[in-house]
């Protein structure tokens, strides 16, 4: 099982681990895990075309760590604006698929929930929030499978790796 699938499975497990009296530690981890699952999934898809063989796996890992998709990146430019002006010249007026918009939106929402889970100690999570976020990540994986390989999806992955350096 790949790491992103394991992260999502972990989120689902932790969200339902103790339904009578869930701990905040389990709920917080189950809230942040879907974001990391989608993050790893997208980085994997973005770096795979450059280094497809398993022999190049260390190079893929290095590129993934160097990508602007790092956790401090402003995701609004990369994810919410899938019709970004920086990529307009290379998109040839290709339409934006709704599934791609949904993936981008899920990523931003999951990132915000992850930040809340990791850094907002005043916020208390409920048993109902965590499974919904895992479901949202799972839907994003299904949405991505609908657009994977399309011109827009490839442009989207390009923006993940080189957004800061694209002239537009």
């Amino acid at each position: 099982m790949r790491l992103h699938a394991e992260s999502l499975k972990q989120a689902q497990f932790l969200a339902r681990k103790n339904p009578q009296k869930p701990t905040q530690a389990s709920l917080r981890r189950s809230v942040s895990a879907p974001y990391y699952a989608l993050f790893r999934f997208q980085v994997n898809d973005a770096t795979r075309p450059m280094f497809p063989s398993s022999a190049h796996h260390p190079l893929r890992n290095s590129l993934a760590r160097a990508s602007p998709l790092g956790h401090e990146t402003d995701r609004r430019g990369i994810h919410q604006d899938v019709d970004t002006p920086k990529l307009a010249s290379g998109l040839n007026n290709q339409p934006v698929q709704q599934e791609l918009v949904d993936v981008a939106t899920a990523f931003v929402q999951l990132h915000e929930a992850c930040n809340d889970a990791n850094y907002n100690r005043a916020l208390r999570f409920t048993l109902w929030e965590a499974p919904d976020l895992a479901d949202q990540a799972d839907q994003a994986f299904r949405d991505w499978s609908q657009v994977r390989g399309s011109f827009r999806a490839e442009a989207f992955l390009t923006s993940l790796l080189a957004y800061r350096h694209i002239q537009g």
Side-chain angles (χ1 to χ4, degrees):
M1 186 178 289
R2 297 190 328 193
L3 187 55
H4 67 272
E6 290 175 7
S7 295
L8 190 56
K9 195 171 192 169
Q10 179 189 45
Q12 293 164 333
F13 169 77
L14 289 172
R16 295 169 176 92
K17 182 179 175 185
N18 188 356
Q20 302 306 323
K21 191 173 180 187
T23 66
Q24 281 299 299
S26 289
L27 290 174
R28 285 175 180 277
R29 185 67 191 120
S30 70
V31 165
S32 63
Y35 161 73
Y36 290 112
L38 191 54
F39 174 84
R40 290 178 183 118
F41 182 73
Q42 288 182 324
V43 168
N44 187 55
D45 263 17
T47 58
R48 182 187 318 242
M50 288 180 239
F51 305 109
S53 77
S54 60
H56 294 110
H57 194 70
L59 290 172
R60 282 177 61 198
N61 287 341
S62 294
L63 181 58
R65 284 192 306 276
S67 84
L69 187 57
H71 302 292
E72 71 283 350
T73 300
D74 177 5
R75 281 157 188 81
R76 287 185 302 266
I78 294 175
H79 289 281
Q80 285 182 324
D81 187 6
V82 294
D83 210 11
T84 177
K86 281 190 166 195
L87 293 172
S89 63
L91 293 175
N92 300 327
N93 296 319
Q94 295 288 317
V96 179
Q97 304 100 316
Q98 184 59 47
E99 293 88 354
L100 185 54
V101 172
D102 293 345
V103 169
T105 300
F107 190 93
V108 170
Q109 291 172 350
L110 292 170
H111 180 252
E112 290 169 357
C114 178
N115 274 346
D116 283 341
N118 291 340
Y119 305 113
N120 187 347
R121 295 180 62 182
L123 191 61
R124 306 277 301 165
F125 289 92
T126 69
L127 184 60
W128 310 112
E129 292 167 291
D132 287 346
L133 293 167
D135 291 345
Q136 185 178 21
D138 192 44
Q139 181 62 50
F141 294 141
R142 288 193 303 276
D143 288 339
W144 183 254
S145 72
Q146 298 296 310
V147 297
R148 178 186 262 148
S150 71
F151 194 78
R152 274 289 182 171
E154 296 299 325
F156 180 74
L157 291 177
T158 299
S159 75
L160 297 180
L161 295 177
Y163 188 78
R164 289 184 195 149
H165 304 290
I166 295 173
Q167 301 297 315

